[in-house]
Amino acid sequence: MKRVFRREALAIGIGSLFPAGYLIAYGAGVVQEFPVWGRYLWPSSIFLMATDGAENNRPFVAEVIGLSLLANAILWLVLGLLCFGVFDWWRRRESRRQR
């Protein structure tokens, strides 16, 4: 169980690096536009379109960003489960084949 927890924490961590880095860079003024390839790492960034025109409503923007980050973490959790599941299946299959 610890191994699964570590793997999922790793998947969520990897999936949260880009969104957190982008939000920090955007807040610091380093980044002005969202990169085209960013939607592949942060698919739930489409939630941020809901904040168009409501930039002055900070609680609403914070809620939308939080929901987007949560949805992205759940997505990466599921992707991690699938990828590590396939990896374990492949490893078991290879070990049986070598016997």
Side-chain angles (χ1 to χ4, degrees), residues 56-98:
N56 295 330
N57 190 353
R58 290 201 183 266
F60 175 70
V61 171
E63 183 180 350
V64 170
I65 289 173
L67 288 173
S68 176
L69 291 173
L70 179 65
N72 198 59
I74 291 170
L75 176 70
W76 279 87
L77 177 101
V78 170
L79 286 173
L81 281 171
L82 289 172
C83 289
F84 284 121
V86 168
F87 175 72
D88 287 341
W89 170 80
W90 178 76
R91 203 169 64 182
R92 279 192 307 265
R93 190 176 129 235
E94 289 298 315
S95 67
R96 287 183 198 150
R97 187 181 282 180
Q98 291 176 356

Side-chain angles (χ1 to χ4, degrees), residues 39-56:
R39 64 182 172 203
Y40 299 112
L41 299 175
W42 188 9
S44 61
S45 64
I46 197 162
F47 290 8
L48 301 180
M49 291 175 61
T51 63
D52 189 29
E55 290 85 4
N56 295 330

